[in-house]
Amino acid sequence: MYTGRSLHLFVEKKLFFFLWLFPSVLFGQQINELVTLYQHKYKENEAVIIHSESKFEFDLAENKVVVREDRNQKLLSLRYNTFINEVEFYDSNSDIKEFSCESSLNQKSFNSDKVCGNYTNSEYFFDDNKFCTHKLKLQEAGEVWKTHVDKIYNDSKYLTSVYFHDKYPIVTKKIILKIPSDIDVDIREFNFEKFAVEKHVTEQGKFRIVEYSISNISAMENVRLGRSVQFIYPHLLILVKSFQSEGERVNILSNLHDLYGWYRSLTSQLSVQPEVFAPLVNSILKGKVTDDEKISSIFYWVQDNIRYIAFENGLAGFKPDDAHSVFQKKYGDCKGMANLTKEMLRYAGYDARLSWIGTKQIRYDYSIPSLAVDNHMICTVILEGKKYFLDATEKYLPLGYNAERIQGRQILIEDGDNYILEKIPEVSGENELELRQVKLSMKSDMLVGSYKYILQGEKKRNFLCGYHFSSGDTKDRLVKHCLIDENKNMKVNNVRLPDMNHRVGAFEINTDLECKGAISSFNNELYIDIDISKDFKSWIVDEERQSDIDFGEKIHKVLEVELELKDGDSVIFLPEKLQIDHKEFSVHAVYVKDLNRILYKKRISIENGIISKDSFIQWNEAIRKLTQHYDSQIILKR
Amino acid sequence: MKRGILLFVCMGLLQLSFGQKDLESKLKQIYWNNAGPEFRQMKAPAKWKNESAVILATRVDYLGTFAGVRKSFTENIVIHYRVLLQDKASVREYSELTFNQNKIKTNLIGKTNAYSFVAVKIVKPDGTEKIMDLSSAVKTDVGSEKDSKMAVPDLDQGDIIDFFIAIQSKETDVPNITESDLLEEKYPVVNKQIRFIVPRQINFSSKSFRGAPEFIKTKQGKNNIYTLIDTMRGRAPEVLWDFPHRTSAEVRYKISNGKTFVHQDEALVAREALQNFDYNNQDIRYIEDYVNQNAGESKSQDEVVKEIYYLLRSPIFQKAYFDIDQGSPLDNHYVSERFFFLLNKYLKKYNIEHEIMIVPSRNYGPFCDLVNMSSCDLLLKIGKDSGYYLSRPTPFSIPGEFPYLFEGMEAVLIGYPKSNTAARFNEEIPVSGKESNLTHSRYNLSFDSSDLSKILVKREVSAKGNNKAYHQYLIFTNHDYLREYDKPQYQNFSYSEIRNLVNEYSYLREKSEQQAVQENYERERRVEDDIESELDTKISEYKNLIITSVGMWEDMPDTKYSDEFVIDNGTKKAGKNFILEVGKFIEKQTELSDEQIQRDRDIHMGFARTFNSEVIIIIPEGFSVEGIDNLNINVSNIYGGFISSARVEQNKLLIKTSKYYTQNHCTSADWPHMVSFLNAAVQFSKSKILLKKL
């Protein structure tokens, strides 16, 4: 006997079976049922991929491993009279040989109909990404579009990862890798534990066939504060390590040594012309005595004077620009800025080195020999056994502080033919504080007083960046936004800013504060709200969300409020203490009566800046309690 | 033969590259080396030291010349800017430039006859100059308006970026040029010059508004020179309820061939354009067919005309006459002028009295201020004094409605039959009153007895006049719209072309059913977001949306709907008592910042309007209500008002509010009157009541 849910699944499976095997002879009624089923299941999607099969065939050509991808896909329309774009990307290391589409309603878009062009990733000014697209009309729900892509990766180094998810939900998907025995390919699997991925390995003559299949997966999300897809979705990392050529083993990227060797082969091509920047280095070092002063003056000069503009064109995606070129252009990407920092420091007499690093967006480490393990370059100075990690792309970062995105990450430091592998130290939460200290008194229906806003670490750096890169009025708006958000009931007057160019130490803004309507008076009772920063109020997360929440920074928000009572005021009610402790976050809030004052202290911490999907239920529960706490008021009798 | 062609091509390329170099150096010589003193300026006035950037000088030069024996007309246009970058934000803005690569066209003997040229240089604070090599630019992404982009090297805070764009093109005749230029720009301007050098035979006329200087005419050989110089102009401010073309300094000008007569008064131009309706050869057989099949003798002329309006608004006829896709009727489609020609043809043929009008828009002002008709549109009036208007159809427009930007403007018209209307030339378009554009919201609030922080809300909304459109697009879907036209009168037609379109409509109508689930889901999210934004709170359990009337037919002209939802954290707890922010239920209010309260520009709004609210709160058992006195407010004046009242009846608290704007425009001197009732509404919106445990 079928329950409602299992009947539903049964219908889905049965219908799908028909559609998969006999799409052309499927009865209209069955199609309609399937469409209805998926329309309810995937309300936001225009189509669902009912089957996708990608075959990757590895081969040797001109002493290189090339990979041919042949992908066939069936897309079931869930909408009518709607256009969608089927897009395929390629770059200077890959080509699209064929890309065509054909529908069950006899619509066709041939390979020659595809439209191609440049498409630069939003992080860069220019890169070598290109795309081809077919604009497909979903004439009616139930129409099935078949697409075929034939794509070549001309150098297997650049085929790094293969994902199962797509922009549409997928009913079934197969990824098949056909690897000849003379090519050593290591396939690493990620995030398989949360998804039912089946794997079969067979031998066919001299080929190893590795087949993965997955079913019923939703579309890849594009959500706010989403964590890097590497942490969320199942995928394969393809490591082409070596191949046999005339009886010899030829390494490609078999280990970290190979990877470093390739990087080194690129950096050794760099030309060094210190005479271009020598006068400037001499000038900025004038009067600087200590090593810290000297290193920081060069580091800060690069931060302040070199704009981050990235060209990721072919090998330029891996090879730094020459230091003198970056110096003359006054712009560069992370590699160019790292190289200029290095060469200026070397000219100044320091042991400065290029260093590769994968930011926190990358889930892999250097135990994996792949181009996918890093995405960033900085400069490391080694001085008397101490290492300074200098990332000049991080504007307003003080010397000795490492940006959140690289803390705790492995770093590959150049060391001649060898390398040094280290870890960037983590900073404790206490150094990442966002502290609000407020002293308030009552005036009519308002709270008035003084307000001190203190930022440390990454928060301070972000604020300074935002401030300096805002124009005119926007600067004032930014300051107000940080102090009182968009709360129109609050007003800040007489805002005193600190030295906005000072990188080191805490950052403190002082201001006068007015909170209109914070006191509601009913008969002789005053109902008072003294929490001026209701962080995370109603911040409920959709529990269906696939991605962890990644705030991109550690969060430690502290509010300390002191409310001065008038003579004769008696406290009738103080909201209850709130204390929530979880491995990923904590919320503490407490009101205390102290002589003629009420003291309120609230602390919200998200230790690593991540709320994982596994914690969404507890997070939402905590947010509900926090929101209730925010909605609790002090009562005074006057 | 083939070799010959190849050689010719190679020589052409060589000539082109030499020609380009010569041209480059010639243009740079003219616009950089020989530029006036304003383009050598290095510093900004002290009062603008805190601005992000300052335009030290900008200049538009237009040179028009006849070539040969007036066989063609060559236009040379140069736009030149010199901008001082005073902070990192402006450096960032100018650090990546997009432009079209320099192009040069030569004739068969290698003489340049058209070009488009961009040049950029950076001037350092010490005066040293660096000219950018634009040949290293890279291609822009697909979809970009320009073909090339470039990262500007060696650009720092304190630098000046000095660039010009020079375009030469050859036209067969003197082009008609009309422009309405606001003198304020994104950054303050120290010196702005607009100069036209044209042969004397060419007409040039201009109008300056609100403190803008006039063009000065001088003569040079066979040319007239018209020069406008504007200095020390502050940057364009962000102003609430503003029509910049009615409030800030502006010049409007017009250039035309002296051989052809051009009216200086756009009202006369409009009147002349209306003569086109005398020669109207539209094919109205499809309309006549509809009328024959559906309008019995019992229907009045008025009824027939209105039915034709609905017909032309229908997806089937939008496709038939305006080539608008039937499947997505709510998308932003544009119905062409053909609509007016079709109706005019029909009305003339059946001797129905009507007038075709051209109406200027309020945001550019009356005809006497215009230099072209780009801000004007057509309007049709059936009958005379007590007649009604028909405007270009939009999905929800009904007879009698017209765009609010026409209100109060004087239209020029042509009437038919001419014998009845010959004496009329103009008409002032009526202005709608505050009661015509009215939204009424009723919120019924009750509490979950087990959790008084949870409020169950039932809402009824109705909107009329110009207040409707916002709600119509919020609550209606393409699927709903297609269903609205699923009526017998739109099914039977004699012509096979229309029958085919009816079949297409039926097909799409049926197919649209297939995605009703998704459209309804998207609508619910849309309405939820709207409620959350208006009430500034999170809601859940949105349900039971019932659309009583979408307001697209004259017999049910108002938009009416109701729905239900829950506010989970609707109250604030204080001991055993609860505070309800009851003011929120009048929805989001215009809250003025300190800067906005001071105002020296007139206020231009869309239309007079009223927003009425009723909030009915069922007082939970065991609680009393305190704080009602604060809910009684009355601030009103001739520009509008905010009035609220509250009373308790049995177990209900009844609150009524009305906020209204009586005018669509008032002067800056009257702004304090508006501020008074706007602030009163804001004050109410922050009101709270106490639910006190008995």
Side-chain angles (χ1 to χ4, degrees):
Chain A
M1 189 174 154
Y2 291 107
T3 62
R5 177 165 163 71
S6 60
L7 179 61
H8 178 85
L9 286 173
F10 173 73
V11 170
E12 185 176 347
K13 279 181 182 166
K14 186 177 143 208
L15 288 171
F16 175 72
F17 176 76
F18 274 105
L19 192 60
W20 169 216
L21 287 179
F22 314 108
S24 52
V25 295
L26 198 70
F27 296 115
Q29 181 63 24
Q30 288 165 328
I31 278 274
N32 287 344
E33 284 178 31
L34 202 62
V35 166
T36 307
L37 187 79
Y38 289 131
Q39 280 181 330
H40 279 85
K41 193 168 176 182
Y42 304 118
K43 290 191 179 79
E44 291 173 15
N45 295 106
E46 288 131 337
V48 56
I49 296 168
I50 47 180
H51 184 68
S52 171
E53 186 167 307
S54 294
K55 282 185 191 157
F56 292 87
E57 287 192 43
F58 294 73
D59 202 357
L60 281 173
E62 295 172 9
N63 232 22
K64 270 200 285 192
V65 174
V66 295
V67 185
R68 181 159 206 146
E69 180 186 2
D70 184 84
R71 188 180 338 129
N72 288 293
Q73 172 161 300
K74 289 194 187 105
L75 197 71
L76 175 70
S77 165
L78 303 180
R79 302 277 173 119
Y80 92 108
N81 200 38
T82 303
F83 286 93
I84 57 166
N85 285 306
E86 269 299 281
V87 185
E88 193 60 37
F89 293 96
Y90 67 105
D91 57 25
S92 53
N93 297 305
S94 55
D95 292 306
I96 295 173
K97 295 290 180 194
E98 193 186 309
F99 181 19
S100 57
C101 311
E102 182 179 354
S103 97
S104 57
L105 294 180
N106 230 8
Q107 299 189 76
K108 287 187 170 104
S109 194
F110 297 108
N111 186 47
S112 54
D113 298 330
K114 67 182 188 289
V115 177
C116 302
N118 286 7
Y119 177 78
T120 298
N121 188 311
S122 59
E123 290 169 38
Y124 306 124
F125 176 70
F126 181 76
D127 65 20
D128 59 4
N129 273 332
K130 294 181 179 60
F131 73 96
C132 291
T133 182
H134 287 282
K135 189 173 183 181
L136 306 182
K137 183 173 185 182
L138 304 183
Q139 205 161 295
E140 57 180 70
E143 181 179 15
V144 177
W145 272 99
K146 289 187 206 169
T147 63
H148 174 240
V149 178
D150 183 3
K151 187 173 170 182
I152 297 275
Y153 297 88
N154 298 311
D155 184 341
S156 61
K157 263 206 305 287
Y158 300 99
L159 169 63
T160 52
S161 47
V162 178
Y163 280 77
F164 289 86
H165 281 70
D166 204 304
K167 63 177 174 175
Y168 300 115
I170 297 174
V171 182
T172 62
K173 178 159 186 166
K174 274 189 185 173
I175 294 172
I176 301 159
L177 298 105
K178 188 176 176 188
I179 305 158
S181 54
D182 54 356
I183 302 176
D184 179 10
V185 180
D186 184 3
I187 304 163
R188 303 281 179 96
E189 296 150 3
F190 290 89
N191 304 326
F192 274 32
E193 60 282 0
K194 289 177 189 166
F195 294 85
V197 185
E198 284 182 26
K199 179 182 176 185
H200 295 285
V201 182
T202 51
E203 300 290 331
Q204 279 182 12
K206 66 165 198 158
F207 294 101
R208 176 166 61 114
I209 312 290
V210 186
E211 185 175 316
Y212 294 93
S213 55
I214 192 166
S215 49
N216 294 316
I217 51 176
S218 52
M220 205 175 239
E221 280 179 341
N222 181 13
V223 285
R224 195 172 150 250
L225 302 179
R227 203 168 181 197
S228 157
V229 292
Q230 294 177 1
F231 291 89
I232 310 303
Y233 298 109
H235 63 277
L236 309 172
L237 211 56
I238 311 289
L239 310 176
V240 181
K241 295 188 156 183
S242 63
F243 60 89
Q244 296 285 334
S245 175
E246 296 169 1
E248 295 283 312
R249 196 172 104 109
V250 180
N251 284 348
I252 301 175
L253 294 176
S254 63
N255 53 36
L256 180 55
H257 196 78
D258 289 345
L259 181 65
Y260 175 72
W262 187 68
Y263 286 158
R264 175 110 176 112
S265 72
L266 298 174
T267 56
S268 60
Q269 296 168 20
L270 295 172
S271 128
V272 185
Q273 296 178 20
E275 64 278 10
V276 176
F277 44 78
L280 179 104
V281 175
N282 294 334
S283 136
I284 59 179
L285 291 184
K286 206 170 275 176
K288 306 291 184 297
V289 180
T290 65
D291 288 322
D292 274 10
E293 281 174 344
K294 290 178 184 173
I295 294 169
S296 62
S297 61
I298 290 174
F299 180 41
Y300 296 164
W301 187 91
V302 179
Q303 281 184 27
D304 291 345
N305 293 282
I306 305 297
R307 281 167 285 140
Y308 178 82
I309 295 179
F311 286 79
E312 300 281 321
N313 195 6
L315 264 191
F318 301 93
K319 181 184 165 193
D321 199 356
D322 288 328
H324 60 271
S325 166
V326 176
F327 178 80
Q328 284 162 333
K329 289 186 296 190
K330 293 269 180 73
Y331 68 75
D333 63 6
C334 62
K335 301 181 295 297
M337 290 167 87
N339 192 29
L340 176 61
T341 312
K342 168 192 162 179
E343 294 301 344
M344 286 172 77
L345 283 162
R346 287 183 82 83
Y347 173 77
Y350 292 97
D351 178 5
R353 305 171 184 210
L354 294 179
S355 311
W356 293 260
I357 192 165
T359 64
K360 285 188 174 174
Q361 293 238 307
I362 305 279
R363 75 161 292 168
Y364 327 115
D365 62 21
Y366 281 108
S367 64
I368 297 171
S370 163
L371 299 184
V373 298
D374 50 35
N375 58 350
H376 193 37
M377 182 181 271
I378 65 170
C379 167
T380 305
V381 174
I382 303 175
L383 181 66
E384 295 165 1
K386 187 179 170 187
K387 292 191 179 69
Y388 294 84
F389 302 108
L390 309 180
D391 183 353
T393 65
E394 301 279 359
K395 309 280 182 199
Y396 297 97
L397 192 74
L399 182 71
Y401 185 88
N402 300 312
E404 165 67 21
R405 65 180 177 146
I406 60 170
Q407 285 177 28
R409 299 294 298 165
Q410 277 185 339
I411 181 164
L412 183 72
I413 304 166
E414 63 177 340
D415 191 26
D417 290 337
N418 294 308
Y419 56 83
I420 301 167
L421 193 60
E422 289 232 352
K423 209 173 212 186
I424 305 268
E426 288 266 13
V427 170
S428 84
E430 286 310 309
N431 294 323
E432 286 288 343
L433 208 59
E434 183 182 11
L435 171 63
R436 297 167 202 268
Q437 291 175 322
V438 187
K439 287 187 177 175
L440 296 169
S441 60
M442 291 175 272
K443 184 180 170 188
S444 177
D445 71 336
M446 284 198 299
L447 294 172
V448 294
S450 63
Y451 175 13
K452 188 180 283 185
Y453 180 61
I454 298 166
L455 292 174
Q456 290 179 347
E458 192 88 359
K459 307 277 181 316
K460 174 187 171 181
R461 195 198 73 79
N462 285 338
F463 182 89
L464 288 178
C465 267
Y467 184 85
H468 285 288
F469 285 94
S470 300
S471 62
D473 296 349
T474 333
K475 278 190 166 67
D476 296 339
R477 267 181 243 160
L478 175 82
V479 172
K480 278 189 185 167
H481 178 81
C482 286
L483 291 171
I484 54 174
D485 203 354
E486 300 299 320
N487 192 332
K488 291 196 169 176
N489 292 328
M490 285 197 262
K491 198 171 171 183
V492 284
N493 298 312
N494 188 22
V495 177
R496 279 98 65 201
L497 297 175
D499 178 353
M500 300 300 275
N501 291 306
H502 195 62
R503 289 171 169 82
V504 182
F507 170 89
E508 186 176 307
I509 301 176
N510 285 282
T511 180
D512 302 339
L513 179 68
E514 277 179 23
C515 309
K516 286 183 206 160
I519 305 173
S520 306
S521 172
F522 300 103
N523 292 324
N524 291 329
E525 289 177 354
L526 304 180
Y527 292 75
I528 307 170
D529 179 359
I530 61 171
D531 191 322
I532 65 157
S533 64
K534 295 185 173 56
D535 303 301
F536 297 107
K537 183 179 179 183
S538 301
W539 221 92
I540 296 286
V541 179
D542 177 3
E543 287 171 17
E544 299 297 309
R545 175 186 165 124
Q546 298 170 44
S547 172
D548 301 342
I549 295 163
D550 184 354
F551 291 99
E553 58 183 11
K554 297 182 177 80
I555 289 177
H556 293 281
K557 289 173 179 284
V558 177
L559 170 67
E560 294 170 359
V561 183
E562 189 179 313
L563 174 67
E564 184 189 328
L565 303 177
K566 291 191 175 172
D567 289 345
D569 286 348
S570 58
V571 178
I572 296 180
F573 177 78
L574 287 179
E576 284 170 17
K577 180 180 173 184
L578 178 69
Q579 181 157 350
I580 300 163
D581 289 296
H582 182 270
K583 62 180 183 206
E584 292 179 352
F585 58 86
S586 63
V587 181
H588 295 176
V590 61
Y591 288 85
V592 178
K593 165 87 168 58
D594 173 46
L595 299 173
N596 66 336
R597 298 179 304 170
I598 292 174
L599 304 177
Y600 173 54
K601 183 160 183 180
K602 179 183 75 180
R603 182 186 184 102
I604 300 175
S605 297
I606 302 169
E607 208 54 54
N608 293 314
I610 303 273
I611 305 294
S612 62
K613 183 170 167 57
D614 293 342
S615 304
F616 282 177
I617 291 172
Q618 294 90 328
W619 168 262
N620 283 347
E621 189 52 37
I623 292 299
R624 281 187 197 99
K625 285 182 180 162
L626 178 65
T627 304
Q628 277 173 5
H629 172 82
Y630 284 143
D631 288 336
S632 299
Q633 311 250 311
I634 298 167
I635 311 178
L636 301 183
K637 184 106 185 161
R638 176 160 289 175
Chain B
M1 182 66 188
K2 279 183 181 172
R3 283 181 63 179
I5 292 172
L6 188 66
L7 189 66
F8 178 78
V9 171
C10 289
M11 283 181 69
L13 286 172
L14 280 174
Q15 279 176 347
L16 189 117
S17 60
F18 282 129
Q20 183 156 329
K21 288 221 155 151
D22 287 349
L23 181 68
E24 266 188 52
S25 52
K26 189 174 139 193
L27 290 169
K28 285 175 180 170
Q29 180 71 29
I30 296 170
Y31 295 104
W32 279 344
N33 301 355
N34 300 345
E38 67 277 12
F39 280 97
R40 296 182 203 291
Q41 194 56 250
M42 295 295 295
K43 286 189 176 164
K47 70 171 181 175
W48 289 333
K49 68 172 192 241
N50 292 328
E51 295 286 344
S52 180
V54 174
I55 300 170
L56 298 175
T58 173
R59 179 169 174 154
V60 177
D61 270 351
Y62 179 94
L63 171 65
T65 47
F66 286 111
V69 235
R70 291 214 197 171
K71 283 190 174 166
S72 63
F73 187 78
T74 304
E75 286 185 300
N76 284 80
I77 301 166
V78 177
I79 300 162
H80 189 180
Y81 272 85
R82 183 177 174 93
V83 187
L84 173 64
L85 310 177
Q86 301 201 115
D87 66 9
K88 289 188 172 169
S90 58
V91 171
R92 180 181 274 182
E93 184 184 343
Y94 282 96
S95 36
E96 295 171 9
L97 300 179
T98 57
F99 52 90
N100 284 320
Q101 274 289 7
N102 296 340
K103 290 182 185 78
I104 179 165
K105 271 190 200 169
T106 53
N107 61 17
L108 285 175
I109 57 164
K111 193 174 172 192
T112 302
N113 59 10
Y115 60 78
S116 154
F117 187 81
V118 181
V120 185
K121 68 176 176 182
I122 308 299
V123 185
K124 293 289 178 187
D126 65 2
T128 54
E129 297 188 350
K130 291 183 180 176
I131 296 172
M132 273 178 61
D133 175 10
L134 301 185
S135 63
S136 59
V138 290
K139 275 192 169 183
T140 51
D141 282 357
V142 168
S144 169
E145 286 178 6
K146 311 285 184 199
D147 61 21
S148 303
K149 62 179 177 179
M150 185 165 180
V152 180
D154 195 14
L155 188 66
D156 286 319
Q157 199 173 328
D159 288 354
I160 289 167
I161 185 161
D162 188 322
F163 62 93
F164 68 83
I165 301 151
I167 300 161
Q168 179 180 293
S169 59
K170 195 158 271 187
E171 308 292 334
T172 51
D173 202 354
V174 180
N176 285 324
I177 298 172
T178 57
E179 283 294 340
S180 298
D181 281 350
L182 295 172
L183 295 181
E184 288 168 342
E185 302 212 17
K186 184 178 177 185
Y187 300 116
V189 182
V190 178
N191 186 300
K192 172 181 269 192
Q193 185 170 323
I194 305 172
R195 189 173 66 155
F196 287 86
I197 304 174
V198 287
R200 282 190 201 170
Q201 302 89 330
I202 285 178
N203 290 325
F204 179 92
S205 62
S206 67
K207 299 169 185 184
S208 295
F209 300 90
R210 299 170 290 278
E214 302 283 345
F215 276 94
I216 307 293
K217 180 179 173 183
T218 54
K219 292 181 179 175
Q220 186 187 59
K222 291 179 179 174
N223 289 332
N224 286 332
I225 304 176
Y226 300 90
T227 309
L228 176 144
I229 298 175
D230 186 49
T231 56
M232 298 303 285
R233 181 70 56 189
R235 73 178 141 86
E238 284 173 32
V239 182
L240 176 72
W241 293 326
D242 185 33
F243 291 167
H245 288 277
R246 302 295 298 277
T247 59
S248 61
E250 182 184 22
V251 284
R252 298 179 182 181
Y253 47 87
K254 182 192 267 192
I255 296 171
S256 56
N257 192 341
K259 281 194 297 184
T260 52
F261 176 73
V262 176
H263 294 293
Q264 292 309 307
D265 180 353
E266 287 303 308
L268 297 176
V269 179
R271 192 156 291 141
E272 209 165 85
L274 286 172
Q275 304 301 324
N276 287 322
F277 283 91
D278 285 350
Y279 314 101
N280 185 347
N281 58 0
Q282 288 293 324
D283 181 353
I284 54 168
R285 281 175 301 158
Y286 302 152
I287 298 173
E288 289 176 315
D289 178 43
Y290 171 82
V291 175
N292 291 338
Q293 301 218 35
N294 292 292
E297 288 184 357
S298 60
K299 289 194 177 167
S300 68
Q301 277 188 338
D302 263 6
E303 285 172 321
V304 171
V305 172
K306 286 173 183 174
E307 286 208 8
I308 294 173
Y309 187 82
Y310 292 130
L311 179 79
L312 292 175
R313 197 190 62 176
S314 71
I316 295 164
F317 273 62
Q318 293 262 303
K319 179 69 183 172
Y321 280 126
F322 313 113
D323 199 26
I324 291 171
D325 187 9
Q326 294 201 61
S328 48
L330 295 187
D331 287 3
N332 196 17
H333 301 303
Y334 181 73
V335 174
S336 72
E337 282 73 24
R338 192 179 184 192
F339 164 77
F340 295 98
F341 281 93
L342 286 165
L343 267 176
N344 170 253
K345 178 83 175 186
Y346 182 89
L347 297 168
K348 274 201 285 192
K349 184 169 178 181
Y350 292 93
N351 213 27
I352 299 172
E353 198 169 323
H354 68 285
E355 289 164 340
I356 306 278
M357 304 178 175
I358 295 182
V359 198
S361 164
R362 282 177 51 229
N363 53 10
Y364 274 77
F367 280 121
C368 60
D369 289 348
L370 302 181
V371 287
N372 60 38
M373 288 207 296
S374 62
S375 62
C376 304
D377 202 2
L378 289 157
L379 188 63
L380 206 149
K381 187 177 181 185
I382 308 296
K384 244 192 329 198
D385 298 334
S386 59
Y388 58 92
Y389 296 94
L390 295 179
S391 61
R392 208 183 280 270
T394 61
F396 297 110
S397 60
I398 59 179
E401 293 179 346
F402 54 84
Y404 57 81
L405 286 174
F406 291 172
E407 290 188 6
M409 301 305 287
E410 180 141 311
V412 298
L413 59 87
I414 187 168
Y416 299 93
K418 288 199 165 175
S419 53
N420 293 1
T421 56
R424 277 167 54 81
F425 297 109
N426 303 81
E427 171 159 316
E428 188 175 313
I429 306 298
V431 179
S432 61
K434 68 181 176 67
E435 297 300 334
S436 311
N437 307 310
L438 185 145
T439 305
H440 185 276
S441 311
R442 179 182 291 125
Y443 285 90
N444 285 285
L445 314 185
S446 57
F447 293 89
D448 183 331
S449 55
S450 61
D451 178 4
L452 287 189
S453 69
K454 203 176 218 184
I455 305 175
L456 316 176
V457 183
K458 289 187 177 180
R459 182 175 73 139
E460 294 163 50
V461 180
S462 71
K464 58 165 70 177
N466 292 318
N467 282 10
K468 275 193 300 184
Y470 175 80
H471 298 275
Q472 287 168 321
Y473 284 98
L474 184 69
I475 58 167
F476 230 49
T477 64
N478 282 316
H479 165 66
D480 293 336
Y481 195 90
L482 290 173
R483 207 165 43 191
E484 281 289 316
Y485 266 101
D486 197 356
K487 296 176 191 282
Q489 66 263 41
Y490 303 118
Q491 304 290 323
N492 299 314
F493 294 92
S494 308
Y495 292 95
S496 59
E497 307 89 283
I498 301 295
R499 283 203 302 271
N500 289 341
L501 290 179
V502 171
N503 290 339
E504 183 185 295
Y505 164 80
S506 304
Y507 170 79
L508 291 169
R509 158 85 179 80
E510 185 195 323
K511 293 296 164 195
S512 78
E513 294 284 352
Q514 290 183 335
Q515 66 179 32
V517 173
Q518 289 153 305
E519 284 199 356
N520 292 346
Y521 172 81
E522 284 161 8
R523 172 189 26 217
E524 282 183 13
R525 300 291 80 75
R526 202 161 62 222
V527 179
E528 265 181 9
D529 288 348
D530 183 68
I531 295 169
E532 290 188 346
S533 159
E534 288 295 335
L535 301 186
D536 188 24
T537 191
K538 289 274 174 200
I539 67 162
S540 60
E541 297 176 44
Y542 182 82
K543 61 185 178 191
N544 291 347
L545 172 68
I546 298 168
I547 301 170
T548 315
S549 159
V550 73
M552 61 181 281
W553 307 103
E554 204 183 16
D555 56 348
M556 294 179 80
D558 299 344
T559 305
K560 291 182 179 176
Y561 62 97
S562 61
D563 49 16
E564 296 174 27
F565 55 91
V566 172
I567 304 175
D568 287 314
N569 296 294
T571 57
K572 292 177 188 293
K573 193 164 186 250
K576 293 175 181 171
N577 307 328
F578 291 86
I579 290 174
L580 173 64
E581 292 175 331
V582 72
K584 277 186 174 176
F585 291 93
I586 64 166
E587 301 180 357
K588 198 157 61 183
Q589 297 299 305
T590 303
E591 194 163 352
L592 303 170
S593 64
D594 290 347
E595 297 79 39
Q596 286 172 320
I597 286 174
Q598 308 304 321
R599 179 167 182 141
D600 57 6
R601 295 185 187 219
D602 281 4
I603 296 90
H604 290 274
M605 295 178 290
F607 42 88
R609 58 212 182 274
T610 303
F611 299 94
N612 290 340
S613 295
E614 277 183 76
V615 185
I616 301 150
I617 302 162
I618 299 175
I619 303 164
E621 213 168 306
F623 285 84
S624 65
V625 178
E626 292 185 10
I628 298 171
D629 293 347
N630 300 333
L631 304 179
N632 293 302
I633 295 175
N634 188 340
V635 176
S636 53
N637 53 54
I638 57 167
Y639 299 100
F642 179 79
I643 299 164
S644 65
S645 64
R647 65 195 156 87
V648 173
E649 257 182 29
Q650 294 172 339
N651 67 335
K652 288 180 183 163
L653 171 61
L654 309 174
I655 301 168
K656 282 190 177 181
T657 69
S658 179
K659 184 185 184 187
Y660 58 92
Y661 304 75
T662 59
Q663 320 279 325
N664 59 19
H665 165 248
C666 73
T667 66
S668 57
D670 298 323
W671 177 235
H673 294 293
M674 288 194 67
V675 171
S676 66
F677 71 81
L678 290 172
N679 282 347
V682 170
Q683 181 198 330
F684 182 91
S685 71
K686 293 176 179 174
S687 305
K688 298 164 192 164
I689 55 167
L690 182 72
L691 296 170
K692 183 152 193 173
K693 184 78 178 162
L694 293 171

